[in-house]
């Protein structure tokens, strides 16, 4: 669809205002929010990722594309999140220490809030102790860790160990995700759940919160 191609192209150029206007237009044209996200914005971000890998674009271009992505996602938020019966529960989420990527984490947060969960957003570059302190102090049933770098995903294992060390491992579920993370890795570090996308992460968190209620 042409407008989805236009959204992808505007995102790749980092044109946040154009992305916002095109996303609004696509919503008015009744294009499903999921298609706008996946075939428009994420399509553009994947192309930027490939070009970044091949040294065809550099950090500044990727940063403006990321900003455009965040602005476009904010417009989509009410259309992406599910309606109907609201779940209850509290979750803390963050991108692990050493890692500044937050687009996926923000999407996961958005989908969880859309399901009615309270989400404590710890931001990026979050140390294992800070995940565990937040879970203890704010009575979170679930800790959600996001990592985008192969060099930072091991921090997720440290979060599991820290929860054990501080005696809360049997009171919280630990969920992990992000592009380099796999089911096998999640099992290896002793996490409770790996999900590959934001919507499945929200479903899994709702289930955990219901079990622990
Ligand atoms: Co970075 N970067 N980056 N980057 N960047 C990647 C990840 C990379 C794959 C690019 C590449 O080489 N092709 C590569 C990692 C290579 C590797 O480790 N194997 C890379 C690199 C190398 C780097 C730097 C080291 C570059 C440098 O400085 N030399 C540097 C590291 C900085 C740091 O973190 N310390 C860096 C910096 C940056 C920017 C700051 C410029 C920017 C981030 C801006 C921001 O986030 N605000 C950036 C970006 C944008 C990317 C790419 C292009 C896009 C990432 C993204 O947002 N994707 C990325 C290439 C790519 O992925 N194609 C790349 C969209 C997002 C929706 O996907 O986060 O995977 P994702 O989330 C998905 C799922 O994974 C899942 O849900 C989402 C979809 O529904 N999910 C979860 C995510 N978290 C979850 C948690 C869950 C469950 C599911 O449960 C708790």
């Amino acid at each position: 669809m042409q407008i989805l191609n236009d959204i992808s192209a505007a995102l790749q150029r980092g044109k946040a205002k154009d992305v916002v206007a095109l996303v609004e237009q696509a919503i008015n044209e009744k294009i499903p929010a999921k298609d706008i996200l996946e075939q428009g914005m994420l399509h553009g971000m994947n192309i930027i990722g490939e070009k970044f890998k091949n040294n065809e674009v550099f950090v500044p271009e990727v940063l403006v594309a990321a900003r455009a992505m965040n602005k476009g996602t904010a417009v989509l938020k009410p259309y992406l999140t599910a309606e109907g019966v609201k779940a209850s529960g509290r979750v803390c989420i963050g991108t692990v220490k050493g890692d500044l990527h937050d687009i996926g984490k923000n999407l996961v947060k958005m989908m969880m809030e859309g399901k009615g969960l309270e989400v404590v957003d710890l931001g990026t570059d979050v140390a294992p102790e800070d995940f565990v302190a937040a879970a203890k102090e704010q009575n979170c049933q679930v800790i959600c860790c996001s990592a985008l770098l192969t060099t930072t995903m091991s921090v997720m294992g440290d979060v599991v160990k820290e929860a054990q060390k501080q005696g809360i491992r049997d009171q919280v579920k630990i969920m992990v995700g992000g592009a380099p993370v796999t089911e096998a890795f999640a099992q290896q570090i002793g996490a409770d759940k790996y999900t590959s996308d934001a919507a499945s992460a929200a479903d899994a968190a709702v289930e955990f919160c219901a079990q622990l209620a």
Side-chain angles (χ1 to χ4, degrees), residues 37-38 41-42 45-54 58-67 69-70 92-108 111-112 124-125 142-153 156 174-181 193-202:
L37 177 70
E38 289 175 0
M41 290 193 287
L42 285 178
M45 190 51 92
N46 283 337
I47 293 177
I48 281 285
E50 273 307 298
K51 289 187 172 169
F52 190 34
K53 190 169 73 184
N54 299 328
F58 300 94
V59 169
E61 287 99 320
V62 183
L63 263 182
V64 287
R67 280 201 202 113
M69 170 94 200
N70 278 330
C92 60
I93 190 167
T95 307
V96 297
K97 192 165 179 58
D99 199 326
L100 302 174
H101 296 85
D102 67 356
I103 296 173
K105 185 263 298 168
N106 292 344
L107 270 179
V108 174
M111 299 305 275
M112 288 181 174
T124 58
D125 195 20
V142 185
I143 294 176
C144 292
C145 306
S146 181
L148 264 286
L149 299 171
T150 46
T151 49
T152 58
M153 58 195 270
M156 293 171 157
I174 300 181
M175 291 176 48
V176 295
V181 183
K193 186 82 184 168
Y194 159 74
T195 50
S196 62
D197 64 86
S200 320

Side-chain angles (χ1 to χ4, degrees), residues 51-194:
K51 289 187 172 169
F52 190 34
K53 190 169 73 184
N54 299 328
N55 292 322
E56 292 167 44
V57 299
F58 300 94
V59 169
E61 287 99 320
V62 183
L63 263 182
V64 287
R67 280 201 202 113
M69 170 94 200
N70 278 330
K71 297 259 186 212
T73 316
V75 178
L76 265 192
K77 180 175 179 178
Y79 304 91
L80 269 177
T81 50
E83 292 187 1
V85 183
K86 293 285 182 192
S88 66
R90 187 177 289 174
V91 167
C92 60
I93 190 167
T95 307
V96 297
K97 192 165 179 58
D99 199 326
L100 302 174
H101 296 85
D102 67 356
I103 296 173
K105 185 263 298 168
N106 292 344
L107 270 179
V108 174
K109 175 187 173 190
M110 189 186 287
M111 299 305 275
M112 288 181 174
E113 287 179 338
K115 296 256 173 195
L117 300 177
E118 273 181 75
V119 183
V120 179
D121 188 350
L122 305 173
T124 58
D125 195 20
V126 182
E129 309 83 63
D130 294 333
F131 277 107
V132 174
K136 279 168 84 172
E137 286 159 17
Q138 309 210 41
N139 291 321
C140 299
Q141 288 105 327
V142 185
I143 294 176
C144 292
C145 306
S146 181
L148 264 286
L149 299 171
T150 46
T151 49
T152 58
M153 58 195 270
S154 64
V155 178
M156 293 171 157
D158 299 336
V159 176
V160 176
K161 286 185 200 143
E162 187 65 25
Q164 274 157 356
K165 191 173 136 198
Q166 295 206 32
I168 63 157
R169 185 65 190 96
D170 55 349
Q171 294 150 41
V172 285
K173 297 291 182 187
I174 300 181
M175 291 176 48
V176 295
V181 183
T182 61
E183 176 71 51
F185 176 77
Q187 285 185 13
Q188 184 195 319
I189 62 169
D192 296 299
K193 186 82 184 168
Y194 159 74

